[in-house]
Amino acid sequence: IDPETNLPRLLGLDEVIPPRSKTCVAFTVLTDEEYERHQLEVKRQKQDKVNAEVGFRLVIDELIQSCKPLIGHNLLYDICHLFSSFCGDLPESVVEFKEILHELFPM
């Protein structure tokens, strides 16, 4: 029983039952321990989703923090794409873009 609502803690599971493709929803009453485990699992799944969506941004941040030179073939195109994907819109002028890049990746 949830102390705040005085109602049982329920977990709803839906399943599609073939061959009619109807959905069946089953509820189960959770003990306090099961409820806590379920809440932790939901929280972990949400965090995993955030980490997956943010994942490559962490690589970009690590490149910026390393202060090491970037070397590559046609790297300007790649940097423009990375910048627009992870840092913001590309500036209007090349001069402004160079200033921002030198701040992010100092030589």
Side-chain angles (χ1 to χ4, degrees), residues 8-103:
R9 290 183 171 151
L10 299 175
L11 176 62
L13 304 171
D14 61 316
E15 295 181 20
V16 175
I17 302 172
R20 297 184 195 132
S21 298
K22 291 187 177 183
T23 302
C24 175
V25 179
F27 290 94
T28 185
V29 178
L30 301 178
T31 65
D32 288 342
E33 184 179 304
E34 290 170 329
Y35 179 77
E36 293 301 322
R37 271 197 312 248
H38 176 71
Q39 290 299 96
L40 287 173
E41 179 63 20
V42 168
K43 185 175 182 180
R44 186 192 62 76
Q45 289 175 356
K46 286 180 182 178
Q47 188 61 48
D48 288 349
K49 184 177 179 183
V50 168
N51 289 343
E53 292 175 2
V54 172
F56 196 71
R57 174 60 202 217
L58 299 175
V59 173
I60 303 303
D61 290 342
E62 190 63 34
L63 282 172
I64 292 170
Q65 291 174 3
S66 72
C67 294
K68 295 188 178 184
L70 300 177
I71 300 169
H73 177 72
N74 286 336
L75 189 61
L76 181 61
Y77 176 78
D78 296 330
I79 289 175
C80 289
H81 179 70
L82 289 173
F83 186 92
S84 67
S85 297
F86 298 102
C87 299
D89 294 331
L90 291 172
E92 292 292 323
S93 71
V94 173
V95 174
E96 186 181 354
F97 183 61
K98 284 173 55 176
E99 289 173 359
I100 294 171
L101 279 183
H102 286 293
E103 287 175 15

